[in-house]
Amino acid sequence: MIEFDKKDIAVFRSLIEGSHSIALISHTNADGDAMGSMLGTKRVVEAHSKAKITMLLPSPRPDVFAYLPGYGDIVVDSDNHEGCTKALMEADLIIAVDLNNATRVDNLAQALVESQAHKVLIDHHHSPDRNLFHLLFSIPEFSSTCELAYWLFAQMYGEEAIDRETARCLYSGICTDTGFFAYSCESPTVYEAAGRLVVKDIDPAGIHDEISNCFSIERMRFYGFALSERLVIMDDIKAAYFHFSLDDQKRFGVEPQDMEGLVNYTLMMKEIEVGVLMREEPTRVKLSFRAKGDFDVSTFANKLFGGGGHTKAAGANSTLGLEATVELVEQKLREALEKQ
Ligand SMILES: [Mn+2]
């Protein structure tokens, strides 16, 4: 059993119970952990508060998680910037999940910073912004924000406060952040949390199907193209990377979310220990980094483009354009990995 500070728990409870307007927010390009922790937190909070609750995301919801309860209620900044800003500015409590600083909410950063609300963080990333948040439940040792949220709410309101639908949300985020218990799951607490969620009749196999067996035909064809035409393997330094131009994406009609998980294919090769995916956007290049073994991609991404994340999975943005980004990444990988 995980124990959070009792004083922190009491403060959080009184904030939830005493607030009139609560905004929940998570990071841009939401993944399963962001979706699951926001939707699950919303269900627990609304059962213990009379407040008006708004869920906000900076960028469109990934439709693979449409099976989760409350998915349709999330307000997206790119559709309704005014509404999202207003919700943050008028909130007396903001609960941020699965992010560690304001840059992770893109165009909502200013409102998140300027809002006079109490700001609570539930998260498992390193280096949370302690000036931004007043109360932090931030523990990087946890597999996922969803696991942390499970232990937090179980302590705050008891096991029974997590109903079947909330359990489906939290279990989904644990599964996506651990690749269905393949990584970031060294601690036995993740299995214990999962076990306690599974007994709530959540249909784990059904959740696996929703998340994993959901490719469109176009997406599968694109993966074929990606592996044969856009994968560069630098086996002498145990690295590999994908690179996609806007034209590549247009040609197959794929969206950013269709590339979710593709970077992991680099690590499926036995001899590869570091993988990168570079995807061109109209004004920047998005990078995803993955590693197995000892290499810390979070530090690497941070040094290179001011990115961040976890030691085995990190992200960054480049404004150099695709070609120059690819060149620089290749050079820096060589410098970092040849030393090893
Ligand atoms: Mn996470």
Side-chain angles (χ1 to χ4, degrees):
M1 186 73 193
I2 310 297
E3 280 274 356
F4 294 90
D5 184 282
K6 289 198 177 65
K7 224 175 81 205
D8 287 351
I9 294 272
V11 172
F12 193 20
R13 281 186 63 142
S14 71
L15 285 172
I16 289 171
E17 286 149 32
S19 295
H20 300 288
S21 180
I22 301 177
L24 301 184
I25 188 166
S26 194
H27 62 78
T28 188
N29 295 325
D31 56 9
D33 197 28
M35 295 295 290
S37 58
M38 185 158 77
L39 294 166
T41 298
K42 195 248 183 181
R43 294 181 61 82
V44 174
V45 168
E46 82 186 338
H48 297 91
S49 170
K50 292 192 178 65
K52 173 176 178 272
I53 304 172
T54 318
M55 292 183 284
L56 309 171
L57 280 179
S59 61
R61 302 160 299 184
D63 52 19
V64 56
F65 299 107
Y67 69 93
L68 291 176
Y71 173 89
D73 301 331
I74 298 170
V75 187
V76 177
D77 180 65
S78 46
D79 301 335
N80 182 359
H81 181 63
E82 207 179 313
C84 288
T85 305
K86 194 162 167 246
L88 288 170
M89 295 311 286
E90 288 179 355
D92 38 22
L93 172 61
I94 295 173
I95 305 173
V97 295
D98 201 39
L99 59 87
N100 53 355
N101 65 58
T103 65
R104 300 288 291 129
V105 299
D106 281 358
N107 294 334
L108 288 171
Q110 193 184 351
L112 176 60
V113 170
E114 287 178 4
S115 173
Q116 294 301 302
H118 286 276
K119 293 165 197 166
V120 177
L121 178 67
I122 306 175
D123 181 48
H124 71 135
H125 293 86
H126 285 277
S127 319
D129 184 345
R130 293 183 187 275
N131 295 318
L132 177 61
F133 299 105
H134 307 111
L135 176 60
L136 297 90
F137 299 96
S138 162
I139 307 177
E141 286 71 29
F142 277 106
S143 64
S144 50
T145 299
C146 281
E147 186 200 342
L148 198 162
Y150 167 77
W151 293 113
L152 178 63
F153 294 135
Q155 186 179 338
M156 279 174 74
Y157 294 116
E159 183 73 37
E160 60 286 355
I162 295 154
D163 65 7
R164 176 179 183 272
E165 292 304 311
T166 305
R168 284 170 61 78
C169 295
L170 299 181
Y171 182 81
S172 296
I174 292 175
C175 289
T176 54
D177 257 27
T178 62
F180 290 88
F181 307 95
Y183 44 80
S184 310
C185 51
E186 294 78 13
S187 163
T189 61
V190 62
Y191 304 96
E192 194 177 339
R196 291 183 186 204
L197 294 169
V198 164
V199 295
K200 293 173 194 278
D201 191 27
I202 60 172
D203 184 18
I207 289 176
H208 178 267
D209 272 340
E210 291 281 3
I211 295 170
S212 298
N213 301 332
C214 62
F215 273 41
S216 64
I217 295 163
E218 293 74 22
R219 185 178 178 185
M220 192 56 118
R221 294 283 183 216
F222 175 77
Y223 271 44
F225 161 78
L227 290 167
S228 64
E229 308 290 328
R230 293 290 182 266
L231 174 63
V232 177
I233 302 172
M234 304 160 76
D235 50 332
D236 58 320
I237 57 161
K238 302 184 176 175
Y241 65 85
F242 288 107
H243 56 100
F244 303 110
S245 67
L246 281 168
D247 280 347
D248 292 338
Q249 299 168 65
K250 215 188 292 159
R251 182 176 150 204
F252 287 88
V254 290
E255 301 291 330
Q257 64 205 47
D258 293 322
M259 273 165 263
E260 189 68 47
L262 180 56
V263 64
N264 297 316
Y265 279 61
T266 55
L267 300 186
M268 288 168 74
M269 288 174 281
K270 191 171 179 166
E271 42 281 285
I272 300 303
E273 294 187 354
V274 182
V276 188
L277 186 147
M278 290 168 263
R279 172 172 61 77
E280 187 179 30
E281 289 189 349
T283 58
R284 61 183 179 184
V285 177
K286 297 279 294 178
L287 298 99
S288 305
F289 300 87
R290 293 291 184 277
K292 61 188 187 207
D294 297 330
F295 194 73
D296 176 355
V297 284
S298 174
T299 306
F300 184 76
N302 188 266
K303 272 193 205 154
L304 199 52
F305 296 114
H310 306 284
T311 55
K312 301 280 164 256
N317 296 314
S318 158
T319 50
L320 299 177
L322 184 62
E323 217 170 296
T325 302
V326 168
E327 216 170 284
L328 185 66
V329 164
E330 208 174 283
Q331 178 200 332
K332 293 294 173 188
L333 279 174
R334 235 172 233 300
E335 282 172 23
L337 290 163
E338 267 170 0
K339 272 188 262 163
Q340 289 208 321

